[in-house]
Amino acid sequence: VPSGIVDGMYNEYIGNAESPAQVRDGLLQAMGDISIVFSSIEVAKYHRDAGSPVYFYEFQHRPSAAEGVLPKFVKADHGAEIAFVFGKPFLAGDV
């Protein structure tokens, strides 16, 4: 990996960190972008180029069910929006 890319990524995600928590948050953001966001943008471009409408969103609402289960710095995990879109009974098998 060219050093310019590494320097750019460091500056983007961690460069201004003033605490270990900010370093953690920057690393988590970088890992999420690399593993989910970048590939999602690529797929969205393919759909757009094929003439399909594309909608892209980032869900960040922390579910109340996360209280006491997830660390405070976790806003919403992958798939957390499902309960808000379809309703919790759908996930609990009550339907």
Side-chain angles (χ1 to χ4, degrees):
V1 178
S3 64
I5 292 174
V6 173
D7 291 343
M9 288 188 70
Y10 175 83
N11 289 333
E12 176 69 26
Y13 294 103
I14 303 172
N16 296 325
E18 297 177 2
S19 70
Q22 289 175 329
V23 171
R24 176 205 60 217
D25 292 345
L27 288 173
L28 288 173
Q29 183 70 44
M31 290 186 322
D33 286 353
I34 290 167
S35 64
I36 305 248
V37 177
F38 294 165
S39 57
S40 296
I41 290 171
E42 279 299 306
V43 170
K45 287 179 184 178
Y46 292 135
H47 286 280
R48 177 205 61 202
D49 293 347
S52 298
V54 176
Y55 304 93
F56 204 83
Y57 68 94
E58 180 180 13
F59 187 81
Q60 290 190 352
H61 180 74
R62 181 180 169 86
S64 58
E67 202 60 43
V69 177
L70 298 173
K72 294 281 186 198
F73 64 86
V74 175
K75 291 180 180 55
D77 283 329
H78 179 70
E81 75 279 7
I82 301 299
F84 292 89
V85 173
F86 296 108
K88 188 165 173 127
F90 177 79
L91 293 178
D94 296 339
V95 177

